Amino acid sequence: MAIEKCIDEYATDEVIFEEGSTGRELFVVLDGKVDIAKVDGPSRTVIVSLGKGEFFGEMAVIDGSARSATAIAAAPGTRVMRINHARFVYLVSQQPAFALMVMDALSKRLRASNLRNFGSGATS
């Protein structure tokens, strides 16, 4: 698949994916900003804001589960590249540094979640 077909552009406040939806893609921010948020009606709680070079959606691409939060473009002209499951598996198998980068990010995100939810004692 041509790389251009894997790049999408979003306007500010446009939803990239919603919590609870299914998807087997990981996304990399190429330009702009993406907020990962919990949305409850008109209320939005931003968990993390991601910028150029950062990625999101990795849990669903790994285990096929429903999205755990909503991804929302937070800047005009936000561009993201989609990496489907097959491409993800290929990258992990061919580029060990890519796999380590994903594991590092997952570890940091889990530690941050533990800190938010349980305090400093749960991050060992």
Side-chain angles (χ1 to χ4, degrees), residues 1 4-5 16 18-19 26 29-30 34 36 38 41 44 48 71 75 79 81 86 92 111 113 118 120:
M1 179 184 296
E4 297 81 23
K5 292 182 181 180
I16 299 167
E18 292 182 328
E19 179 177 359
L26 168 134
V29 181
L30 300 177
V34 173
I36 305 302
K38 290 289 193 175
R44 178 189 301 178
V48 66
R79 293 179 351 138
M81 179 173 53
V92 166
R111 287 181 185 278
S113 175
F118 306 111
S120 62

PDB file of all heavy atoms in Angstrom, residues 1 4-5 16 18-19 26 29-30 34 36 38 41 44 48 71 75 79 81 86 92 111 113 118 120:
ATOM      1  N   MET A   1       0.840  -1.172   0.000  1.00  0.00           N
ATOM      2  CA  MET A   1       0.000   0.000   0.000  1.00  0.00           C
ATOM      3  C   MET A   1       0.887   1.237   0.000  1.00  0.00           C
ATOM      4  O   MET A   1       1.845   1.322   0.738  1.00  0.00           O
ATOM      5  CB  MET A   1      -0.903  -0.016   1.234  1.00  0.00           C
ATOM      6  CG  MET A   1      -1.800   1.201   1.324  1.00  0.00           C
ATOM      7  SD  MET A   1      -2.805   1.293   2.825  1.00  0.00           S
ATOM      8  CE  MET A   1      -3.817  -0.135   2.637  1.00  0.00           C
ATOM      9  N   GLU A   4       1.044   7.276   1.047  1.00  0.00           N
ATOM     10  CA  GLU A   4       0.092   8.380   1.023  1.00  0.00           C
ATOM     11  C   GLU A   4      -1.309   7.932   1.420  1.00  0.00           C
ATOM     12  O   GLU A   4      -2.086   8.700   1.985  1.00  0.00           O
ATOM     13  CB  GLU A   4       0.048   9.034  -0.369  1.00  0.00           C
ATOM     14  CG  GLU A   4       1.358   9.663  -0.808  1.00  0.00           C
ATOM     15  CD  GLU A   4       2.358   8.642  -1.375  1.00  0.00           C
ATOM     16  OE1 GLU A   4       1.931   7.558  -1.833  1.00  0.00           O
ATOM     17  OE2 GLU A   4       3.553   8.932  -1.341  1.00  0.00           O
ATOM     18  N   LYS A   5      -1.659   6.691   1.124  1.00  0.00           N
ATOM     19  CA  LYS A   5      -2.989   6.179   1.458  1.00  0.00           C
ATOM     20  C   LYS A   5      -3.132   5.908   2.947  1.00  0.00           C
ATOM     21  O   LYS A   5      -4.232   5.672   3.432  1.00  0.00           O
ATOM     22  CB  LYS A   5      -3.278   4.905   0.669  1.00  0.00           C
ATOM     23  CG  LYS A   5      -3.421   5.151  -0.818  1.00  0.00           C
ATOM     24  CD  LYS A   5      -3.756   3.878  -1.542  1.00  0.00           C
ATOM     25  CE  LYS A   5      -3.875   4.144  -3.026  1.00  0.00           C
ATOM     26  NZ  LYS A   5      -4.206   2.936  -3.770  1.00  0.00           N
ATOM     27  N   ILE A  16     -10.623  11.082  15.791  1.00  0.00           N
ATOM     28  CA  ILE A  16      -9.869  10.099  15.005  1.00  0.00           C
ATOM     29  C   ILE A  16     -10.439   8.709  15.253  1.00  0.00           C
ATOM     30  O   ILE A  16     -10.654   7.942  14.320  1.00  0.00           O
ATOM     31  CB  ILE A  16      -8.367  10.182  15.342  1.00  0.00           C
ATOM     32  CG1 ILE A  16      -7.845  11.584  14.995  1.00  0.00           C
ATOM     33  CG2 ILE A  16      -7.581   9.080  14.619  1.00  0.00           C
ATOM     34  CD1 ILE A  16      -6.480  11.919  15.541  1.00  0.00           C
ATOM     35  N   GLU A  18     -13.142   6.648  18.496  1.00  0.00           N
ATOM     36  CA  GLU A  18     -13.874   6.800  19.753  1.00  0.00           C
ATOM     37  C   GLU A  18     -13.607   5.641  20.700  1.00  0.00           C
ATOM     38  O   GLU A  18     -13.385   4.505  20.249  1.00  0.00           O
ATOM     39  CB  GLU A  18     -15.377   6.870  19.486  1.00  0.00           C
ATOM     40  CG  GLU A  18     -15.795   8.127  18.775  1.00  0.00           C
ATOM     41  CD  GLU A  18     -17.296   8.193  18.565  1.00  0.00           C
ATOM     42  OE1 GLU A  18     -17.941   7.137  18.386  1.00  0.00           O
ATOM     43  OE2 GLU A  18     -17.825   9.322  18.592  1.00  0.00           O
ATOM     44  N   GLU A  19     -13.651   5.943  21.982  1.00  0.00           N
ATOM     45  CA  GLU A  19     -13.553   4.907  23.001  1.00  0.00           C
ATOM     46  C   GLU A  19     -14.620   3.846  22.747  1.00  0.00           C
ATOM     47  O   GLU A  19     -15.761   4.170  22.416  1.00  0.00           O
ATOM     48  CB  GLU A  19     -13.753   5.522  24.385  1.00  0.00           C
ATOM     49  CG  GLU A  19     -13.684   4.521  25.513  1.00  0.00           C
ATOM     50  CD  GLU A  19     -13.820   5.148  26.885  1.00  0.00           C
ATOM     51  OE1 GLU A  19     -13.943   6.385  26.996  1.00  0.00           O
ATOM     52  OE2 GLU A  19     -13.796   4.386  27.870  1.00  0.00           O
ATOM     53  N   LEU A  26      -2.492   1.313  14.626  1.00  0.00           N
ATOM     54  CA  LEU A  26      -1.727   2.216  15.473  1.00  0.00           C
ATOM     55  C   LEU A  26      -1.571   3.496  14.666  1.00  0.00           C
ATOM     56  O   LEU A  26      -1.544   3.438  13.433  1.00  0.00           O
ATOM     57  CB  LEU A  26      -0.377   1.570  15.763  1.00  0.00           C
ATOM     58  CG  LEU A  26       0.714   2.400  16.400  1.00  0.00           C
ATOM     59  CD1 LEU A  26       1.356   1.599  17.522  1.00  0.00           C
ATOM     60  CD2 LEU A  26       1.760   2.768  15.390  1.00  0.00           C
ATOM     61  N   VAL A  29       1.686  10.456  14.981  1.00  0.00           N
ATOM     62  CA  VAL A  29       1.429  11.867  14.715  1.00  0.00           C
ATOM     63  C   VAL A  29       2.551  12.398  13.816  1.00  0.00           C
ATOM     64  O   VAL A  29       3.723  12.365  14.188  1.00  0.00           O
ATOM     65  CB  VAL A  29       1.359  12.687  16.023  1.00  0.00           C
ATOM     66  CG1 VAL A  29       1.069  14.152  15.714  1.00  0.00           C
ATOM     67  CG2 VAL A  29       0.325  12.113  16.978  1.00  0.00           C
ATOM     68  N   LEU A  30       2.166  12.886  12.640  1.00  0.00           N
ATOM     69  CA  LEU A  30       3.139  13.469  11.710  1.00  0.00           C
ATOM     70  C   LEU A  30       3.229  14.980  11.888  1.00  0.00           C
ATOM     71  O   LEU A  30       4.315  15.559  11.796  1.00  0.00           O
ATOM     72  CB  LEU A  30       2.753  13.150  10.266  1.00  0.00           C
ATOM     73  CG  LEU A  30       2.681  11.670   9.898  1.00  0.00           C
ATOM     74  CD1 LEU A  30       2.222  11.500   8.459  1.00  0.00           C
ATOM     75  CD2 LEU A  30       4.031  10.991  10.117  1.00  0.00           C
ATOM     76  N   VAL A  34      -2.576  15.565  19.068  1.00  0.00           N
ATOM     77  CA  VAL A  34      -3.716  14.677  19.314  1.00  0.00           C
ATOM     78  C   VAL A  34      -3.909  14.558  20.819  1.00  0.00           C
ATOM     79  O   VAL A  34      -2.953  14.302  21.554  1.00  0.00           O
ATOM     80  CB  VAL A  34      -3.483  13.276  18.695  1.00  0.00           C
ATOM     81  CG1 VAL A  34      -4.587  12.309  19.086  1.00  0.00           C
ATOM     82  CG2 VAL A  34      -3.355  13.367  17.178  1.00  0.00           C
ATOM     83  N   ILE A  36      -5.645  12.401  23.762  1.00  0.00           N
ATOM     84  CA  ILE A  36      -6.258  11.130  24.129  1.00  0.00           C
ATOM     85  C   ILE A  36      -7.100  11.453  25.352  1.00  0.00           C
ATOM     86  O   ILE A  36      -6.575  11.947  26.360  1.00  0.00           O
ATOM     87  CB  ILE A  36      -5.197  10.050  24.443  1.00  0.00           C
ATOM     88  CG1 ILE A  36      -4.219   9.893  23.265  1.00  0.00           C
ATOM     89  CG2 ILE A  36      -5.871   8.733  24.800  1.00  0.00           C
ATOM     90  CD1 ILE A  36      -4.857   9.523  21.940  1.00  0.00           C
ATOM     91  N   LYS A  38     -10.964  10.878  27.776  1.00  0.00           N
ATOM     92  CA  LYS A  38     -12.190  10.212  28.195  1.00  0.00           C
ATOM     93  C   LYS A  38     -13.291  11.235  27.962  1.00  0.00           C
ATOM     94  O   LYS A  38     -13.206  12.376  28.446  1.00  0.00           O
ATOM     95  CB  LYS A  38     -12.130   9.809  29.672  1.00  0.00           C
ATOM     96  CG  LYS A  38     -11.151   8.687  29.948  1.00  0.00           C
ATOM     97  CD  LYS A  38     -11.668   7.380  29.396  1.00  0.00           C
ATOM     98  CE  LYS A  38     -10.877   6.204  29.926  1.00  0.00           C
ATOM     99  NZ  LYS A  38     -11.434   4.925  29.497  1.00  0.00           N
ATOM    100  N   GLY A  41     -20.384  12.627  27.378  1.00  0.00           N
ATOM    101  CA  GLY A  41     -21.282  13.674  26.897  1.00  0.00           C
ATOM    102  C   GLY A  41     -20.467  14.885  26.494  1.00  0.00           C
ATOM    103  O   GLY A  41     -19.494  14.769  25.755  1.00  0.00           O
ATOM    104  N   ARG A  44     -15.030  16.430  28.682  1.00  0.00           N
ATOM    105  CA  ARG A  44     -13.832  15.790  28.119  1.00  0.00           C
ATOM    106  C   ARG A  44     -12.686  15.923  29.116  1.00  0.00           C
ATOM    107  O   ARG A  44     -12.345  17.018  29.528  1.00  0.00           O
ATOM    108  CB  ARG A  44     -13.459  16.467  26.807  1.00  0.00           C
ATOM    109  CG  ARG A  44     -12.207  15.930  26.169  1.00  0.00           C
ATOM    110  CD  ARG A  44     -11.742  16.749  24.980  1.00  0.00           C
ATOM    111  NE  ARG A  44     -12.719  16.830  23.917  1.00  0.00           N
ATOM    112  CZ  ARG A  44     -12.560  17.520  22.797  1.00  0.00           C
ATOM    113  NH1 ARG A  44     -11.453  18.213  22.607  1.00  0.00           N
ATOM    114  NH2 ARG A  44     -13.487  17.544  21.879  1.00  0.00           N
ATOM    115  N   VAL A  48      -3.723  12.562  27.943  1.00  0.00           N
ATOM    116  CA  VAL A  48      -2.397  12.946  27.462  1.00  0.00           C
ATOM    117  C   VAL A  48      -2.549  13.649  26.116  1.00  0.00           C
ATOM    118  O   VAL A  48      -3.468  13.358  25.357  1.00  0.00           O
ATOM    119  CB  VAL A  48      -1.462  11.710  27.343  1.00  0.00           C
ATOM    120  CG1 VAL A  48      -1.946  10.752  26.276  1.00  0.00           C
ATOM    121  CG2 VAL A  48      -0.017  12.107  27.101  1.00  0.00           C
ATOM    122  N   ALA A  71      -9.535   9.467  20.668  1.00  0.00           N
ATOM    123  CA  ALA A  71      -8.429  10.264  20.112  1.00  0.00           C
ATOM    124  C   ALA A  71      -9.031  11.417  19.317  1.00  0.00           C
ATOM    125  O   ALA A  71      -9.860  11.194  18.428  1.00  0.00           O
ATOM    126  CB  ALA A  71      -7.544   9.404  19.224  1.00  0.00           C
ATOM    127  N   ALA A  75      -5.234  20.287  17.066  1.00  0.00           N
ATOM    128  CA  ALA A  75      -4.625  21.414  16.362  1.00  0.00           C
ATOM    129  C   ALA A  75      -5.081  21.355  14.901  1.00  0.00           C
ATOM    130  O   ALA A  75      -5.367  20.268  14.388  1.00  0.00           O
ATOM    131  CB  ALA A  75      -3.096  21.340  16.437  1.00  0.00           C
ATOM    132  N   ARG A  79      -1.998  15.755  11.149  1.00  0.00           N
ATOM    133  CA  ARG A  79      -1.848  14.622  10.224  1.00  0.00           C
ATOM    134  C   ARG A  79      -1.313  13.428  10.985  1.00  0.00           C
ATOM    135  O   ARG A  79      -0.388  13.555  11.779  1.00  0.00           O
ATOM    136  CB  ARG A  79      -0.896  14.971   9.077  1.00  0.00           C
ATOM    137  CG  ARG A  79      -1.433  16.029   8.149  1.00  0.00           C
ATOM    138  CD  ARG A  79      -0.474  16.401   7.024  1.00  0.00           C
ATOM    139  NE  ARG A  79       0.838  15.815   7.212  1.00  0.00           N
ATOM    140  CZ  ARG A  79       1.574  15.255   6.248  1.00  0.00           C
ATOM    141  NH1 ARG A  79       1.171  15.239   5.028  1.00  0.00           N
ATOM    142  NH2 ARG A  79       2.753  14.750   6.503  1.00  0.00           N
ATOM    143  N   MET A  81      -0.384   9.048  10.542  1.00  0.00           N
ATOM    144  CA  MET A  81      -0.177   7.894   9.665  1.00  0.00           C
ATOM    145  C   MET A  81      -0.730   6.667  10.363  1.00  0.00           C
ATOM    146  O   MET A  81      -0.436   6.431  11.541  1.00  0.00           O
ATOM    147  CB  MET A  81       1.313   7.688   9.369  1.00  0.00           C
ATOM    148  CG  MET A  81       1.565   6.480   8.475  1.00  0.00           C
ATOM    149  SD  MET A  81       3.283   6.303   7.931  1.00  0.00           S
ATOM    150  CE  MET A  81       4.167   6.344   9.460  1.00  0.00           C
ATOM    151  N   ALA A  86      -0.982  -5.902  10.246  1.00  0.00           N
ATOM    152  CA  ALA A  86       0.016  -6.643   9.459  1.00  0.00           C
ATOM    153  C   ALA A  86       1.326  -5.864   9.353  1.00  0.00           C
ATOM    154  O   ALA A  86       2.410  -6.426   9.516  1.00  0.00           O
ATOM    155  CB  ALA A  86      -0.534  -6.957   8.065  1.00  0.00           C
ATOM    156  N   VAL A  92       7.683  -4.931  13.890  1.00  0.00           N
ATOM    157  CA  VAL A  92       8.193  -5.521  15.128  1.00  0.00           C
ATOM    158  C   VAL A  92       9.174  -6.651  14.818  1.00  0.00           C
ATOM    159  O   VAL A  92      10.221  -6.781  15.462  1.00  0.00           O
ATOM    160  CB  VAL A  92       7.020  -6.020  16.012  1.00  0.00           C
ATOM    161  CG1 VAL A  92       7.511  -6.921  17.125  1.00  0.00           C
ATOM    162  CG2 VAL A  92       6.259  -4.830  16.588  1.00  0.00           C
ATOM    163  N   ARG A 111       2.951   3.082  33.965  1.00  0.00           N
ATOM    164  CA  ARG A 111       3.434   3.701  35.201  1.00  0.00           C
ATOM    165  C   ARG A 111       2.696   5.005  35.495  1.00  0.00           C
ATOM    166  O   ARG A 111       2.316   5.276  36.632  1.00  0.00           O
ATOM    167  CB  ARG A 111       4.937   3.949  35.125  1.00  0.00           C
ATOM    168  CG  ARG A 111       5.755   2.686  35.242  1.00  0.00           C
ATOM    169  CD  ARG A 111       7.256   3.010  35.192  1.00  0.00           C
ATOM    170  NE  ARG A 111       8.039   1.796  35.178  1.00  0.00           N
ATOM    171  CZ  ARG A 111       8.355   1.100  36.266  1.00  0.00           C
ATOM    172  NH1 ARG A 111       7.937   1.502  37.452  1.00  0.00           N
ATOM    173  NH2 ARG A 111       9.084   0.004  36.179  1.00  0.00           N
ATOM    174  N   SER A 113      -0.308   5.805  34.521  1.00  0.00           N
ATOM    175  CA  SER A 113      -1.674   5.438  34.913  1.00  0.00           C
ATOM    176  C   SER A 113      -1.708   4.957  36.364  1.00  0.00           C
ATOM    177  O   SER A 113      -2.594   5.345  37.132  1.00  0.00           O
ATOM    178  CB  SER A 113      -2.202   4.340  33.982  1.00  0.00           C
ATOM    179  OG  SER A 113      -3.467   3.900  34.408  1.00  0.00           O
ATOM    180  N   PHE A 118      -3.250   5.176  41.730  1.00  0.00           N
ATOM    181  CA  PHE A 118      -2.905   4.527  42.998  1.00  0.00           C
ATOM    182  C   PHE A 118      -1.840   5.248  43.798  1.00  0.00           C
ATOM    183  O   PHE A 118      -1.470   4.798  44.872  1.00  0.00           O
ATOM    184  CB  PHE A 118      -2.436   3.089  42.737  1.00  0.00           C
ATOM    185  CG  PHE A 118      -3.430   2.284  41.945  1.00  0.00           C
ATOM    186  CD1 PHE A 118      -3.145   1.894  40.649  1.00  0.00           C
ATOM    187  CD2 PHE A 118      -4.650   1.928  42.495  1.00  0.00           C
ATOM    188  CE1 PHE A 118      -4.064   1.161  39.914  1.00  0.00           C
ATOM    189  CE2 PHE A 118      -5.572   1.202  41.760  1.00  0.00           C
ATOM    190  CZ  PHE A 118      -5.293   0.821  40.470  1.00  0.00           C
ATOM    191  N   SER A 120       2.159   7.003  44.284  1.00  0.00           N
ATOM    192  CA  SER A 120       3.544   6.677  43.942  1.00  0.00           C
ATOM    193  C   SER A 120       3.962   5.259  44.317  1.00  0.00           C
ATOM    194  O   SER A 120       4.900   4.720  43.741  1.00  0.00           O
ATOM    195  CB  SER A 120       4.514   7.678  44.574  1.00  0.00           C
ATOM    196  OG  SER A 120       4.400   7.618  45.979  1.00  0.00           O
TER     197      SER A 120
END
